[in-house]
Amino acid sequence: MGVAELAHVRWIAGGTGAGKSTVARILAERHGLTVYDGDRAEAGYAARCTPERHPYMCALLRTPVEERYAGRAPEEVFRAMPSLHGETFGFVAEDLLALPADRPVLVDDFRPLPRELAPLLVRPEQAVFLLPAPGFRRRVLEARYADPGRARATWGDVDPAAALAVRVARDELWDAEVRRQARETGLPVVDVDGSREAEALAAGLAAAFGLMQRSGHPVRDARGGCSPC
């Protein structure tokens, strides 16, 4: 797999709760993009993983949902993430290569890391990592899991407040790793704290990604250039 094979792909990765899916939906509607939803695609990874190539994922699949967060330190949960060890990126790449390449594809997925994406980009602006401010993420996840049914489906019959606390701390470790790798690879990071509307963020990303308007001309930012937001 080389740069040319995925040159039509744009990537929105980063941290949970940063609004990746909202921005991806806006961009898809405005620019006619195909969206690769990593959360939905994850369901298909289980059938393709093997203990030899994907030990962390296989271990996670064997762990009951009640035991994935309850009674575990955030560092332990973070270190057990299959994506941290590069186990999920191969599935993403396989899926993307199977899609038609006649239009831009937008990946909405927190799992890809900068060190995995950097070798596959024609230019750094093909990818962006959205990282939420800690307080903003907590508010987003508290609202997301206020529904008891959704919380139970995610964490099982454990104290949802305790599970959420571990989840938030784990995600902060993930963000720190993403930020470190982005700095090393020169890939762009956008900090999200809720002060910027999703539509404005989407417009900035469209310019950075070099997406086409319906007129067929590249989207340009307010300064007249296609620079990162």
Side-chain angles (χ1 to χ4, degrees), residues 55-79:
Y56 287 92
M57 179 172 286
C58 289
L60 181 64
L61 292 171
R62 291 194 303 267
T63 304
V65 293
E66 290 85 358
E67 299 177 15
R68 294 182 182 180
Y69 290 93
R72 303 178 71 186
E75 176 73 19
E76 180 185 359
V77 179
F78 169 65
R79 292 296 172 192

Side-chain angles (χ1 to χ4, degrees), residues 122-138:
V122 175
R123 56 190 182 90
E125 293 81 12
Q126 282 180 240
V128 67
F129 295 86
L130 304 185
L131 297 181
F136 179 71
R137 167 190 277 129
R138 177 172 284 280

Side-chain angles (χ1 to χ4, degrees), residues 5 11 14-15 26 30 75 79 149 171 189-190 214 226:
E5 293 173 284
W11 307 78
I26 293 171
R30 289 180 180 175
E75 176 73 19
R79 292 296 172 192
D171 287 347
V189 167
V190 173
R214 297 298 184 183
C226 294

